[in-house]
Amino acid sequence: MAEGCNSKCGICKSCFIEPKLLDCYHTFCSPCLQKLAVRDSKIVCPLCKTNISLPDNGVSGLKPYPFKLGYATEPNAIMDACELCYEQNIAMATCLECKINLCSNCRNYHGKLKASRNHTIEPLQQNKSENVDQSGENDKDKCKDHGKEFSFFCKPCYCLLCIECSEEYHRCHQVENLSVLLQSKKEKLLVRIASFKARISFLQNTADMVRLKESNYDKHCLVLKQDVKEHAKYLKDRFCSTVDELTNKNLDTIDDIKTKDINELDKYLIEIETAKMSLSGLVMITEDFINKLSVAHFREEFSHIGKRLDNELCKSVSTFPSIHDLNFERKDVAKDIIENIFGKVTARAKKNETKQTYPQLPLPELGLLSVHKAEKISEFVLETDIKDIVPAENDYAWILSNNEISMFSYKGICISEGRNENSNMLPNAKRIVRKSANEIRPWYGCLKRENTKYNKSTEDPFTNELFCCVVRNGNLLVYNDRDAKFYELTDQESVQNKIEIDNFFQQMHKYRYSYKVKAVAMKQTKNLNFVISFCEDVVLFTDEHFKVLNSFNKSGAQFKAIATDNYGNVFLADSKHGFVYMLSENGVFLQNLLSENEGISNTTDMIVDECGHLWLVGSSKSIQVFSYQ
């Protein structure tokens, strides 16, 4: 890791090389970003995991970091190499005594040596002569029309004003002092920076605590492993001594029983031998009586010896002594039995002793994503059906009803009624094309230009197309269902651009759109994106080349009306369920602004006037006007 840098790349942990600023406001080296995986022309921020869309020329086309970084280097800048090691690491410091450049590892090593530990080591300055080109920045702080510095901010128009602009064009608007506003916003950001720094300090303390816990945990595991080994040794010794003891005990038991049984057998053997000798003696004497005794003497002894022999013959043999049947009864020592005896290591989730929470500092509201509360300020009903409505100047609107275009205030007061001769000129007008607050023209299915100041008109021979919207350059965008193309029409009776989109309707088909388009609700946002609805339950957000960027879906909805304001907000009206949703110009949902509880139903058209009032055209020729700022 490089040392001596105030800021470091979150990937390589070293000083920045050609830093690039992502849309998530994280900064990385361009070479590091080149190594990230690209999917669908997007990369993922390694820190916050935000999907970042890449331009056509890839990472090199990303926005460079706009401010000076003291240690940021250009890709072709010549970097000093470490003069102490052979690894050719980039030098980050220099020893003033030794007059050599050092990398971060050698710098630490150099400071530990006895011979050089007292040397003065300073960070090596890179790109000392680097200057940030701020030419043109001052011009951005001046009004292009009057050449004066901006001093005010118009909230409804969301733009910067010089003093002449505020008095000439924005006299009735809500205007704030720019320096006071900027100071307030800077203070809000500074408070958040302080909160971030407190969190960084907290995370550093937490990281130190984690490292300490990791060290203690490692020590605990070493102690536990030693305990297991000692227990195993104890069990081995205990087991061996017990086995030896049981062995001797069983051997002694065998010897004792054997001695008893042998004694019994010896006693029986003596008894048998005695009986045998007794019978042998009687056999011997009887045979001698028979063979050697005189007749007289034999006659005298015959009865005695006969009875003696008969007595012996009547005796039975002695019973064989009972001896023991010795066996060694044993059981198999299964692994689970040994494990039950030995024990095992268990791991249970330990309940957190303390709950980690960030330090809380009071934060003032930014005023960017605050919840808007809509308030109805007016409601009126016209006598005829409303075909179209577009903003006029201030809090007025042009309304096309039947055969005339009239200007109404937000209170429903008709300021400028269509004249009869004009009414005759608008028998089949379908929509109003607004080029500016004072220049409008009717749309007949062909393009007819009507200038409210000079009453001049022209026609474009371009018929039977679906009206879409007016783009930022004042041209009209229409959709031709026959060839599935968008046409950009000028007010000079010509087709300026024919937009062929090969895969647009294939993309729409993924969002359940049918290929047959019956109606189009469409607006161009402040950042030139398009918001497109074909009056179904999905709204598409595309770039100016109709590449789908995002979508918003509400099952069963019918989004028939779309409006945008100067703040970059997009409003979608679900005419079926009576809801108005607020989204960002990139399709991010912000909030539900209105619902049927406010009496919203069957909204067919919707605009935001120059003063920031939301006009809703509903059924029964009614118009409701809401304030939501």
Side-chain angles (χ1 to χ4, degrees):
M1 181 184 295
E3 302 292 340
C5 302
N6 294 326
S7 301
K8 300 172 185 176
C9 172
I11 299 176
C12 65
K13 306 297 189 300
S14 298
C15 297
F16 287 109
I17 298 176
E18 193 185 5
K20 297 289 186 179
L21 179 64
L22 304 185
D23 292 341
C24 60
Y25 293 98
H26 286 130
T27 307
F28 302 96
C29 298
S30 180
C32 294
L33 292 175
Q34 297 280 4
K35 298 175 184 178
L36 297 181
V38 179
R39 295 180 180 176
D40 299 328
S41 298
K42 293 180 180 180
I43 59 174
V44 178
C45 173
L47 296 180
C48 64
K49 308 306 179 186
T50 301
N51 288 324
I52 305 297
S53 297
L54 291 177
D56 294 337
N57 54 344
V59 171
S60 59
L62 291 173
K63 181 166 56 175
Y65 191 77
F67 307 105
K68 178 180 178 180
L69 289 172
Y71 290 89
T73 62
E74 297 301 323
N76 297 323
I78 299 176
M79 303 294 295
D80 292 327
C82 177
E83 299 176 66
L84 194 61
C85 65
Y86 293 98
E87 298 177 2
Q88 295 297 309
N89 291 328
I90 296 175
M92 295 298 171
T94 182
C95 177
L96 299 183
E97 283 78 3
C98 300
K99 301 187 183 307
I100 59 173
N101 295 330
L102 307 169
C103 65
S104 59
N105 294 330
C106 292
R107 185 204 63 177
N108 296 334
Y109 178 73
H110 195 67
K112 293 178 181 179
L113 294 176
K114 288 183 179 181
S116 58
R117 64 181 179 181
N118 295 323
H119 287 189
T120 303
I121 299 176
E122 290 186 353
L124 185 64
Q125 298 293 331
Q126 301 285 352
N127 295 333
K128 293 182 180 179
S129 61
E130 178 184 0
N131 293 316
V132 178
D133 182 16
Q134 294 183 342
S135 60
E137 290 294 323
N138 294 331
D139 293 339
K140 295 182 180 179
D141 293 335
K142 291 184 179 181
C143 175
K144 294 181 179 179
D145 296 331
H146 303 103
K148 294 185 177 181
E149 291 187 357
F150 293 122
S151 54
F152 297 99
F153 174 76
C154 179
K155 289 189 69 176
C157 300
Y158 204 74
C159 64
L160 300 177
L161 310 173
C162 68
I163 187 169
E164 293 190 17
C165 288
S166 64
E167 294 177 354
E168 184 174 354
Y169 303 111
H170 302 262
R171 186 185 300 272
C172 300
H173 293 183
Q174 184 180 355
V175 175
E176 295 185 17
N177 184 284
L178 183 59
S179 61
V180 174
L181 177 64
L182 290 179
Q183 183 62 30
S184 172
K185 291 184 178 297
K186 288 179 180 179
E187 289 175 356
K188 291 177 181 179
L189 293 181
L190 287 172
V191 171
R192 281 158 174 79
I193 289 175
S195 179
F196 269 62
K197 289 182 177 179
R199 290 193 174 198
I200 291 171
S201 177
F202 169 80
L203 291 175
Q204 181 60 49
N205 293 336
T206 303
D208 293 339
M209 181 186 67
V210 170
R211 292 188 184 96
L212 179 61
K213 285 185 175 291
E214 187 178 42
S215 176
N216 293 337
Y217 188 77
D218 185 62
K219 292 177 182 178
H220 173 69
C221 289
L222 291 176
V223 172
L224 189 63
K225 289 168 72 174
Q226 187 63 30
D227 187 30
V228 171
K229 291 178 180 179
E230 291 178 356
H231 181 63
K233 183 177 181 302
Y234 164 77
L235 282 182
K236 288 178 182 178
D237 295 341
R238 180 66 175 165
F239 186 78
C240 290
S241 62
T242 302
V243 168
D244 291 342
E245 182 180 341
L246 292 176
T247 300
N248 293 332
K249 181 180 178 180
N250 280 275
L251 293 177
D252 291 342
T253 301
I254 293 172
D255 289 340
D256 292 342
I257 295 174
K258 172 189 171 184
T259 300
K260 292 179 180 179
D261 287 346
I262 292 297
N263 289 336
E264 290 295 324
L265 290 174
D266 288 344
K267 183 179 178 181
Y268 182 69
L269 182 59
I270 292 171
E271 186 178 343
I272 293 300
E273 291 292 338
T274 302
K276 187 180 75 169
M277 291 179 66
S278 174
L279 293 175
S280 298
L282 290 175
V283 169
M284 182 183 70
I285 191 64
T286 303
E287 287 179 345
D288 286 343
F289 275 167
I290 294 172
N291 298 321
K292 298 179 179 180
L293 197 63
S294 62
V295 174
H297 196 196
F298 177 80
R299 185 177 63 78
E300 291 178 1
E301 294 293 334
F302 174 77
S303 59
H304 296 291
I305 196 169
K307 289 179 180 180
R308 180 76 179 92
L309 294 175
D310 288 342
N311 288 335
E312 288 296 328
L313 290 174
C314 290
K315 291 180 180 180
S316 60
V317 67
S318 297
T319 305
F320 195 88
S322 176
I323 61 174
H324 297 87
D325 183 14
L326 288 177
N327 290 296
F328 182 44
E329 297 179 358
R330 58 185 179 273
K331 295 181 179 178
D332 289 335
V333 184
K335 183 179 178 181
D336 56 345
I337 296 176
I338 297 176
E339 185 176 359
N340 288 334
I341 297 172
F342 185 85
K344 62 181 179 180
V345 175
T346 60
R348 294 185 296 271
K350 187 177 180 181
K351 187 177 181 181
N352 289 333
E353 299 174 358
T354 58
K355 185 178 180 181
Q356 296 294 105
T357 56
Y358 279 121
Q360 297 297 324
L361 297 179
L363 295 179
E365 291 292 337
L366 282 175
L368 299 177
L369 298 177
S370 58
V371 176
H372 295 268
K373 184 177 181 181
E375 180 181 356
K376 185 185 292 186
I377 58 175
S378 177
E379 182 174 7
F380 56 94
V381 179
L382 300 185
E383 296 180 357
T384 57
D385 291 333
I386 302 170
K387 294 183 178 180
D388 198 9
I389 181 171
V390 296
E393 58 184 0
N394 296 326
D395 54 1
Y396 302 110
W398 293 105
I399 297 178
L400 172 64
S401 58
N402 285 346
N403 297 324
E404 57 186 28
I405 298 176
S406 304
M407 182 188 291
F408 283 83
S409 71
Y410 76 94
K411 294 182 179 180
I413 301 174
C414 182
I415 306 300
S416 172
E417 293 190 63
R419 299 186 299 274
N420 290 333
E421 58 267 29
N422 284 346
S423 300
N424 295 331
M425 294 172 61
L426 309 175
N428 299 311
K430 298 178 181 179
R431 302 291 295 269
I432 304 173
V433 178
R434 177 186 184 274
K435 190 169 184 179
S436 67
N438 294 317
E439 187 177 3
I440 58 174
R441 53 186 183 269
W443 169 256
Y444 295 94
C446 63
L447 187 64
K448 184 173 183 179
R449 180 177 182 273
E450 179 79 13
N451 190 306
T452 57
K453 288 186 176 180
Y454 305 106
N455 193 26
K456 295 181 179 180
S457 63
T458 58
E459 270 194 16
D460 283 345
F462 196 86
T463 58
N464 301 320
E465 313 305 324
L466 291 177
F467 181 97
C468 292
C469 70
V470 179
V471 293
R472 289 288 175 177
N473 59 10
N475 291 341
L476 175 63
L477 200 66
V478 299
Y479 172 69
N480 186 349
D481 190 43
R482 292 191 303 273
D483 54 7
K485 295 174 183 174
F486 288 94
Y487 289 84
E488 185 177 347
L489 308 179
T490 69
D491 57 355
Q492 303 298 323
E493 304 183 6
S494 63
V495 176
Q496 177 172 307
N497 191 18
K498 182 170 64 173
I499 305 171
E500 299 184 31
I501 308 161
D502 296 333
N503 63 343
F504 179 65
F505 287 95
Q506 285 77 7
Q507 293 182 71
M508 291 198 306
H509 189 59
K510 294 190 302 183
Y511 298 100
R512 303 195 308 277
Y513 276 134
S514 60
Y515 286 101
K516 183 66 176 176
V517 178
K518 298 179 181 179
V520 180
M522 185 172 178
K523 285 289 190 298
Q524 191 172 32
T525 64
K526 187 177 180 181
N527 64 356
L528 302 184
N529 288 346
F530 285 108
V531 187
I532 307 171
S533 170
F534 293 98
C535 301
E536 298 186 22
D537 60 358
V538 178
V539 177
L540 299 182
F541 290 76
T542 74
D543 62 14
E544 55 186 322
H545 305 294
F546 293 92
K547 178 182 178 182
V548 177
L549 304 175
N550 203 350
S551 66
F552 178 74
N553 170 254
K554 286 289 182 181
S555 180
Q558 290 182 356
F559 294 112
K560 292 185 177 181
I562 302 173
T564 60
D565 65 9
N566 290 324
Y567 295 94
N569 297 315
V570 176
F571 303 89
L572 306 177
D574 176 7
S575 62
K576 185 176 181 179
H577 300 108
F579 282 95
V580 175
Y581 303 103
M582 178 185 286
L583 291 85
S584 73
E585 56 192 344
N586 295 318
V588 178
F589 175 80
L590 300 179
Q591 69 173 91
N592 292 341
L593 186 64
L594 294 168
S595 68
E596 57 185 354
N597 295 332
E598 284 83 11
I600 307 301
S601 64
N602 195 26
T603 301
T604 58
D605 206 346
M606 181 169 54
I607 65 165
V608 176
D609 64 28
E610 289 186 347
C611 291
H613 299 145
L614 182 65
W615 299 50
L616 272 69
V617 178
S619 58
S620 303
K621 311 168 186 176
S622 67
I623 293 180
Q624 295 174 295
V625 184
F626 292 86
S627 172
Y628 64 91
Q629 301 296 339

